[in-house]
Amino acid sequence: MRFAVFASGNGSNFEAILKAVKRNEISAELVCLFSDKSTSYAVQRAKDNGVPYFILEKESKQTKEEYETKLVYLMKKEKVDCVVLAGYMRILGKTFLTAYPNRVINIHPSLLPNFPGKYGIKDAFDRGVKKTGITIHQVDDGIDTGPIIFQKEIETKDFKTLEELEEKIHELEHKYYPIVIEEFVRELMTE
Ligand code: GAR
């Protein structure tokens, strides 16, 4: 089983996944990092760790379909079997998801379906909800929708500032995403 990580930003989850792969906690090969942003720090982390990486920035005149056709071609060329989104901030569409049916998962920093979108942690904190957490789910073509695989909740009252909450959420992500990825690839291997 060969997988790719897609990231647009900092890449701390990518690094946590990479560490788990190196510790043999994920029984699949991490083929490459893919980013839609050349400035993504995830790309730097890939370079620092000798992980192959690909960058494809969407041109404004390009349609989503054209962009994803290139992306599918690239992933198939690299013999990627499944994809793990880790802070990938572009919504995947039908072209990509048809090529990888039920083979893409995502992590989100809230208890979905609450607070989808870019600011899951801040939105929950500002709303003053009692509980928040993380969600890992199968990806469909909505914004942070698709069948939920895993959730971990925490009480927000334990965190006085947004920064403290963010730190805890990221800690949970780094702990649980590799474990869920392992379950995900193992299940695919039995198909
Ligand atoms: C993570 O908190 C992830 O859950 C979130 O982006 C962050 C990426 O951090 N994803 C979403 O909000 C998806 N809607 P990282 O680049 O340090 O891994």
Side-chain angles (χ1 to χ4, degrees), residues 7-14 42 45 86-89 106-110 116-121 134-135 143-144 169-170 173-174:
S8 306
N10 178 23
S12 70
N13 277 284
F14 164 61
R45 293 181 199 260
Y88 185 68
M89 292 308 188
N106 181 41
I107 190 160
H108 184 76
S110 76
K118 281 186 182 168
Y119 309 104
I121 308 174
I134 63 167
T135 302
I143 300 177
D144 300 316
I169 293 276
H170 293 312
E173 290 188 322
H174 301 163

Short mmCIF file of all heavy atoms in Angstrom, two decimals, residues 7-14 42 45 86-89 106-110 116-121 134-135 143-144 169-170 173-174, ligand 1:
data_model
loop_
_atom_site.label_atom_id
_atom_site.label_comp_id
_atom_site.label_asym_id
_atom_site.label_seq_id
_atom_site.Cartn_x
_atom_site.Cartn_y
_atom_site.Cartn_z
N ALA A 7 -0.79 18.56 1.83
CA ALA A 7 -0.79 19.63 2.83
C ALA A 7 -0.62 20.98 2.15
O ALA A 7 0.07 21.08 1.12
CB ALA A 7 0.34 19.41 3.83
N SER A 8 -1.21 22.00 2.74
CA SER A 8 -1.10 23.36 2.18
C SER A 8 -0.33 24.30 3.10
O SER A 8 0.07 25.38 2.67
CB SER A 8 -2.49 23.97 1.97
OG SER A 8 -3.31 23.16 1.20
N GLY A 9 -0.17 23.92 4.37
CA GLY A 9 0.34 24.89 5.34
C GLY A 9 1.56 24.45 6.11
O GLY A 9 2.55 23.98 5.53
N ASN A 10 1.46 24.55 7.40
CA ASN A 10 2.59 24.31 8.30
C ASN A 10 3.16 22.89 8.20
O ASN A 10 4.36 22.68 8.23
CB ASN A 10 2.10 24.62 9.73
CG ASN A 10 3.16 24.37 10.77
OD1 ASN A 10 4.35 24.36 10.48
ND2 ASN A 10 2.74 24.15 12.00
N GLY A 11 2.29 21.90 8.12
CA GLY A 11 2.76 20.53 7.93
C GLY A 11 3.14 19.79 9.20
O GLY A 11 3.86 18.79 9.15
N SER A 12 2.64 20.25 10.36
CA SER A 12 3.00 19.54 11.60
C SER A 12 2.39 18.14 11.61
O SER A 12 3.00 17.18 12.11
CB SER A 12 2.58 20.33 12.85
OG SER A 12 1.18 20.36 12.98
N ASN A 13 1.21 17.98 11.04
CA ASN A 13 0.62 16.64 10.94
C ASN A 13 1.42 15.76 9.99
O ASN A 13 1.61 14.57 10.25
CB ASN A 13 -0.84 16.72 10.50
CG ASN A 13 -1.76 17.00 11.66
OD1 ASN A 13 -2.05 16.12 12.47
ND2 ASN A 13 -2.19 18.26 11.80
N PHE A 14 1.85 16.36 8.89
CA PHE A 14 2.70 15.61 7.95
C PHE A 14 3.93 15.07 8.67
O PHE A 14 4.28 13.89 8.54
CB PHE A 14 3.10 16.52 6.78
CG PHE A 14 4.25 16.00 5.97
CD1 PHE A 14 4.18 14.78 5.31
CD2 PHE A 14 5.45 16.71 5.90
CE1 PHE A 14 5.25 14.28 4.58
CE2 PHE A 14 6.52 16.22 5.18
CZ PHE A 14 6.43 15.00 4.52
N ALA A 42 5.22 22.68 4.97
CA ALA A 42 5.23 21.22 4.81
C ALA A 42 6.26 20.82 3.75
O ALA A 42 6.93 19.79 3.88
CB ALA A 42 3.83 20.73 4.43
N ARG A 45 9.59 20.77 5.27
CA ARG A 45 9.75 19.57 6.12
C ARG A 45 10.06 18.35 5.26
O ARG A 45 10.85 17.49 5.65
CB ARG A 45 8.47 19.31 6.93
CG ARG A 45 8.18 20.38 7.99
CD ARG A 45 6.91 19.97 8.73
NE ARG A 45 6.28 21.06 9.44
CZ ARG A 45 6.40 21.28 10.77
NH1 ARG A 45 7.15 20.50 11.50
NH2 ARG A 45 5.75 22.28 11.34
N ALA A 86 -3.79 16.52 5.24
CA ALA A 86 -3.30 17.03 6.52
C ALA A 86 -3.13 18.55 6.39
O ALA A 86 -2.06 19.04 6.04
CB ALA A 86 -1.99 16.35 6.89
N GLY A 87 -4.25 19.25 6.59
CA GLY A 87 -4.21 20.69 6.41
C GLY A 87 -4.15 21.07 4.92
O GLY A 87 -3.53 22.05 4.55
N TYR A 88 -4.80 20.25 4.10
CA TYR A 88 -4.90 20.56 2.66
C TYR A 88 -6.15 21.41 2.49
O TYR A 88 -7.26 20.94 2.76
CB TYR A 88 -5.00 19.27 1.84
CG TYR A 88 -4.99 19.49 0.35
CD1 TYR A 88 -3.85 19.96 -0.30
CD2 TYR A 88 -6.12 19.23 -0.42
CE1 TYR A 88 -3.83 20.17 -1.67
CE2 TYR A 88 -6.12 19.42 -1.80
CZ TYR A 88 -4.96 19.90 -2.41
OH TYR A 88 -4.96 20.10 -3.77
N MET A 89 -5.97 22.65 2.09
CA MET A 89 -7.06 23.60 2.16
C MET A 89 -7.83 23.80 0.85
O MET A 89 -8.52 24.79 0.67
CB MET A 89 -6.55 24.93 2.70
CG MET A 89 -6.11 24.84 4.16
SD MET A 89 -7.40 24.10 5.23
CE MET A 89 -6.70 24.34 6.85
N ASN A 106 -9.38 12.75 5.83
CA ASN A 106 -9.02 14.12 6.24
C ASN A 106 -9.08 14.22 7.76
O ASN A 106 -9.83 13.48 8.41
CB ASN A 106 -10.03 15.09 5.63
CG ASN A 106 -9.74 16.54 5.98
OD1 ASN A 106 -8.58 16.99 5.99
ND2 ASN A 106 -10.79 17.30 6.30
N ILE A 107 -8.31 15.17 8.29
CA ILE A 107 -8.41 15.47 9.71
C ILE A 107 -8.90 16.90 9.86
O ILE A 107 -8.54 17.78 9.07
CB ILE A 107 -7.06 15.26 10.44
CG1 ILE A 107 -7.26 15.35 11.96
CG2 ILE A 107 -5.99 16.23 9.96
CD1 ILE A 107 -6.15 14.69 12.76
N HIS A 108 -9.76 17.10 10.87
CA HIS A 108 -10.30 18.45 11.08
C HIS A 108 -10.30 18.76 12.58
O HIS A 108 -10.66 17.90 13.39
CB HIS A 108 -11.72 18.53 10.50
CG HIS A 108 -12.28 19.91 10.63
ND1 HIS A 108 -11.89 20.93 9.79
CD2 HIS A 108 -13.15 20.45 11.52
CE1 HIS A 108 -12.51 22.04 10.16
NE2 HIS A 108 -13.28 21.78 11.21
N PRO A 109 -9.95 20.01 12.95
CA PRO A 109 -9.79 20.33 14.37
C PRO A 109 -11.06 20.79 15.07
O PRO A 109 -11.06 21.82 15.77
CB PRO A 109 -8.74 21.45 14.34
CG PRO A 109 -9.05 22.18 13.08
CD PRO A 109 -9.52 21.14 12.10
N SER A 110 -12.14 20.05 14.90
CA SER A 110 -13.37 20.31 15.67
C SER A 110 -14.18 19.03 15.66
O SER A 110 -13.83 18.07 14.95
CB SER A 110 -14.19 21.45 15.06
OG SER A 110 -14.87 21.00 13.90
N PRO A 116 -17.06 23.41 10.60
CA PRO A 116 -16.24 23.05 9.44
C PRO A 116 -15.50 24.31 8.94
O PRO A 116 -15.72 25.40 9.47
CB PRO A 116 -17.28 22.59 8.41
CG PRO A 116 -18.52 23.34 8.77
CD PRO A 116 -18.49 23.51 10.28
N GLY A 117 -14.64 24.12 7.95
CA GLY A 117 -13.96 25.28 7.35
C GLY A 117 -12.56 25.47 7.90
O GLY A 117 -11.98 24.57 8.49
N LYS A 118 -12.06 26.69 7.69
CA LYS A 118 -10.64 26.94 7.95
C LYS A 118 -10.31 27.19 9.42
O LYS A 118 -9.17 27.09 9.83
CB LYS A 118 -10.19 28.19 7.17
CG LYS A 118 -9.92 27.93 5.71
CD LYS A 118 -9.34 29.17 5.06
CE LYS A 118 -9.12 28.96 3.58
NZ LYS A 118 -8.84 30.17 2.84
N TYR A 119 -11.32 27.59 10.21
CA TYR A 119 -11.01 28.06 11.57
C TYR A 119 -11.73 27.25 12.65
O TYR A 119 -12.33 27.81 13.56
CB TYR A 119 -11.35 29.56 11.68
CG TYR A 119 -10.75 30.38 10.57
CD1 TYR A 119 -11.52 30.84 9.50
CD2 TYR A 119 -9.38 30.65 10.56
CE1 TYR A 119 -10.95 31.56 8.46
CE2 TYR A 119 -8.79 31.36 9.53
CZ TYR A 119 -9.59 31.82 8.47
OH TYR A 119 -9.02 32.51 7.44
N GLY A 120 -11.65 25.93 12.52
CA GLY A 120 -12.38 25.04 13.42
C GLY A 120 -12.09 25.30 14.90
O GLY A 120 -13.01 25.29 15.72
N ILE A 121 -10.83 25.53 15.24
CA ILE A 121 -10.47 25.69 16.65
C ILE A 121 -10.99 27.04 17.17
O ILE A 121 -11.65 27.11 18.21
CB ILE A 121 -8.94 25.59 16.86
CG1 ILE A 121 -8.39 24.32 16.23
CG2 ILE A 121 -8.61 25.64 18.36
CD1 ILE A 121 -6.87 24.18 16.25
N ILE A 134 -11.28 16.68 17.84
CA ILE A 134 -10.80 16.44 16.47
C ILE A 134 -11.69 15.39 15.80
O ILE A 134 -12.30 14.56 16.47
CB ILE A 134 -9.32 15.98 16.43
CG1 ILE A 134 -9.14 14.62 17.14
CG2 ILE A 134 -8.41 17.02 17.05
CD1 ILE A 134 -7.79 13.96 16.88
N THR A 135 -11.73 15.47 14.48
CA THR A 135 -12.49 14.50 13.69
C THR A 135 -11.62 14.00 12.53
O THR A 135 -10.93 14.80 11.90
CB THR A 135 -13.75 15.15 13.09
OG1 THR A 135 -14.55 15.69 14.14
CG2 THR A 135 -14.58 14.15 12.28
N ILE A 143 -17.33 20.53 2.15
CA ILE A 143 -16.31 21.14 3.01
C ILE A 143 -16.35 20.44 4.37
O ILE A 143 -17.28 20.61 5.15
CB ILE A 143 -16.55 22.66 3.19
CG1 ILE A 143 -16.49 23.35 1.82
CG2 ILE A 143 -15.53 23.26 4.16
CD1 ILE A 143 -16.79 24.83 1.84
N ASP A 144 -15.34 19.61 4.62
CA ASP A 144 -15.23 18.84 5.88
C ASP A 144 -16.47 17.99 6.14
O ASP A 144 -16.94 17.87 7.28
CB ASP A 144 -14.94 19.78 7.06
CG ASP A 144 -13.63 20.54 6.87
OD1 ASP A 144 -12.66 19.91 6.45
OD2 ASP A 144 -13.61 21.75 7.13
N ILE A 169 -5.23 20.64 20.77
CA ILE A 169 -5.84 20.04 19.58
C ILE A 169 -4.76 19.44 18.67
O ILE A 169 -4.88 18.31 18.19
CB ILE A 169 -6.68 21.09 18.81
CG1 ILE A 169 -7.90 21.53 19.62
CG2 ILE A 169 -7.05 20.61 17.41
CD1 ILE A 169 -9.12 20.67 19.53
N HIS A 170 -3.69 20.20 18.47
CA HIS A 170 -2.62 19.69 17.59
C HIS A 170 -1.96 18.45 18.21
O HIS A 170 -1.63 17.50 17.49
CB HIS A 170 -1.60 20.78 17.28
CG HIS A 170 -2.17 21.88 16.43
ND1 HIS A 170 -2.89 21.62 15.28
CD2 HIS A 170 -2.14 23.22 16.56
CE1 HIS A 170 -3.29 22.77 14.75
NE2 HIS A 170 -2.86 23.75 15.52
N GLU A 173 -4.17 15.63 17.42
CA GLU A 173 -4.07 15.29 15.99
C GLU A 173 -2.83 14.43 15.74
O GLU A 173 -2.90 13.40 15.06
CB GLU A 173 -4.00 16.56 15.15
CG GLU A 173 -5.30 17.34 15.12
CD GLU A 173 -5.28 18.49 14.13
OE1 GLU A 173 -4.25 19.16 13.99
OE2 GLU A 173 -6.32 18.73 13.51
N HIS A 174 -1.70 14.89 16.30
CA HIS A 174 -0.44 14.19 16.04
C HIS A 174 -0.43 12.80 16.66
O HIS A 174 0.20 11.89 16.16
CB HIS A 174 0.74 15.02 16.59
CG HIS A 174 0.82 16.38 15.97
ND1 HIS A 174 1.55 17.40 16.52
CD2 HIS A 174 0.24 16.90 14.85
CE1 HIS A 174 1.43 18.48 15.77
NE2 HIS A 174 0.63 18.20 14.75
C1 GAR B 1 -4.79 20.98 11.32
O1 GAR B 1 -5.24 21.46 12.56
C2 GAR B 1 -5.92 20.34 10.55
O2 GAR B 1 -6.85 19.69 11.36
C3 GAR B 1 -6.53 21.54 9.88
O3 GAR B 1 -5.44 22.29 9.45
C4 GAR B 1 -4.39 22.14 10.40
C5 GAR B 1 -3.11 21.87 9.65
O4 GAR B 1 -2.01 21.91 10.52
N1 GAR B 1 -7.43 21.18 8.81
C6 GAR B 1 -8.55 21.83 8.55
O5 GAR B 1 -8.89 22.83 9.14
C7 GAR B 1 -9.36 21.25 7.42
N2 GAR B 1 -10.57 21.96 7.27
P1 GAR B 1 -0.60 21.39 10.04
O6 GAR B 1 -0.34 22.01 8.66
O7 GAR B 1 0.38 21.88 11.07
O8 GAR B 1 -0.66 19.89 9.94
#
